[in-house]
Amino acid sequence: MSKVLIVAEHLDGKLNAATAKCVTAAQALKPDSIDIVVLAADPAAIAAEAAQIAGVAKVLTVSNAANANAIAQVLAPQVAKLADGYTHVFGPSTTFGKDLMPCVAALLGVAQVSDVMSVESSHTFKRPIYAGNAIITVEAPTDHAVVATVRTASWPEAARGGSAAVEAASVDAALPTHTRYLGLAAGKSDRPDLQSARRVVSGGRGVGSGENFKIIYDFADKLGAAVGASRAAVDAGYCPNEMQVGQTGKIIAPELYIAIGISGAIQHLTGIKDAGTIVAINKDVDAPIFEIADIGLVGDLFQLLPELEKALP
């Protein structure tokens, strides 16, 4: 009998799409039940959104002013207490999940299974190693709970249309005082979130400068897409590091990914290999990006992009 508890990721009162992807991964276990826990200062709206995810039996809410900001050291003791009675505790392999879930695993005294991309059985999973160049099978012990992060790029979002019950949970956990919230430094953008966007346009070193990146932004806005960048572009100072796509940046799986002026280093390819359709624009016909691209355009991006933009409705 397996029961899964999923820790909801949310920001500014909205549920992150990564939570629905964790539900899909949990469904692969064929568990008896899947519950979601929402920890927040005011979890009502977030919980209502989580309750609509198909396949979810129950949404637990933990209302506490200390949960107003996602601090792993504050949330982890509460999740660990709630984990009692569950066979699996899942969180997304996002910045949020990578921060929180190791703390939960440590408090439960178990080893974490990271970046689950495939479920083979209740305690056997597949995950990538060596920048995605190899896939290994990991078998977790069956005598204690499995704490795992879900590689969101490998799973689709669970459908909506559910009507899970929402219950308030009381957690008796000692919260630390040595860690406190000071502030959140984040870029502001009206564009879609890079990790959950269905369309992403990324620029690389070939764009040439931060000023030239405007052509990438304009093209992305025309498509209603999020904007990303290669590590080379970030290192060159063309754009901030929260836009970086790749092994040391964000691993994404949009329906459409357009790589502009990106040569295709293995670090970058690791972050986009699960994308639905990959389009590459580069003047170097031998660029490695063309080896994985579904559609490739060889030419000067400063000539091709305006032409493509004019052709868009």
Side-chain angles (χ1 to χ4, degrees):
M1 178 179 177
S2 57
K3 293 180 64 179
V4 185
L5 179 67
I6 294 172
V7 184
E9 177 175 355
H10 56 88
L11 183 65
D12 297 331
K14 295 181 180 179
L15 193 69
N16 191 290
T19 305
K21 294 185 176 185
C22 287
V23 172
T24 302
Q27 289 172 334
L29 292 165
K30 295 181 172 57
D32 295 287
S33 66
I34 300 173
D35 296 344
I36 293 177
V37 58
V38 178
L39 300 103
D42 182 8
I46 305 161
E49 193 176 349
Q52 296 175 16
I53 302 175
V56 175
K58 183 168 56 179
V59 177
L60 302 174
T61 61
V62 180
S63 180
N64 190 327
N67 297 335
N69 300 289
I71 302 173
Q73 288 72 23
V74 172
L75 301 184
Q78 300 172 76
V79 175
K81 287 285 186 181
L82 289 167
D84 185 34
Y86 288 93
T87 58
H88 298 73
V89 183
F90 281 2
S93 189
T94 56
T95 302
F96 167 81
K98 289 176 180 178
D99 187 34
L100 172 63
M101 299 310 288
C103 297
V104 174
L107 290 172
L108 293 176
V110 303
Q112 176 182 290
V113 180
S114 302
D115 291 330
V116 170
M117 62 183 300
S118 174
V119 172
E120 303 300 300
S121 70
S122 63
H123 288 73
T124 307
F125 312 92
K126 287 187 176 180
R127 64 175 298 263
I129 59 172
Y130 301 131
N133 288 311
I135 308 299
I136 62 169
T137 300
V138 178
E139 188 170 348
T142 58
D143 59 349
H144 52 63
V146 175
V147 176
T149 58
V150 173
R151 189 176 190 271
T152 54
S154 299
W155 301 91
E157 290 181 41
R160 296 303 193 271
S163 57
V166 178
E167 296 181 9
S170 177
V171 182
D172 182 18
L175 303 185
T177 57
H178 64 278
T179 302
R180 65 188 186 279
Y181 178 81
L182 293 180
L184 175 65
K188 298 292 183 181
S189 176
D190 294 329
R191 299 184 180 90
D193 175 66
L194 180 57
Q195 285 196 288
S196 59
R198 300 186 185 280
R199 300 173 182 174
V200 175
V201 177
S202 284
R205 195 202 308 269
V207 177
S209 69
E211 291 75 18
N212 288 346
F213 233 79
K214 184 179 183 302
I215 196 171
I216 305 296
Y217 293 128
D218 291 345
F219 187 65
D221 290 343
K222 187 76 174 180
L223 288 173
V227 179
S230 69
R231 178 172 180 173
V234 171
D235 287 348
Y238 299 170
C239 46
N241 60 9
E242 62 258 28
M243 290 172 56
Q244 183 176 322
V245 173
Q247 183 186 359
T248 53
K250 291 180 171 66
I251 295 176
I252 59 176
E255 295 174 2
L256 173 65
Y257 184 77
I258 303 178
I260 301 170
I262 296 174
S263 62
I266 186 63
Q267 186 272 347
H268 189 79
L269 301 186
T270 297
I272 64 167
K273 68 184 186 66
D274 292 313
T277 300
I278 299 174
V279 178
I281 300 175
N282 201 297
K283 65 181 180 182
D284 179 8
V285 68
D286 296 319
I289 191 73
F290 288 126
E291 294 179 13
I292 68 160
D294 299 286
I295 300 171
L297 294 175
V298 179
D300 186 338
L301 67 91
F302 296 104
Q303 294 179 357
L304 290 175
L305 278 189
E307 293 178 18
L308 286 172
E309 196 170 332
K310 287 180 183 177
L312 292 172

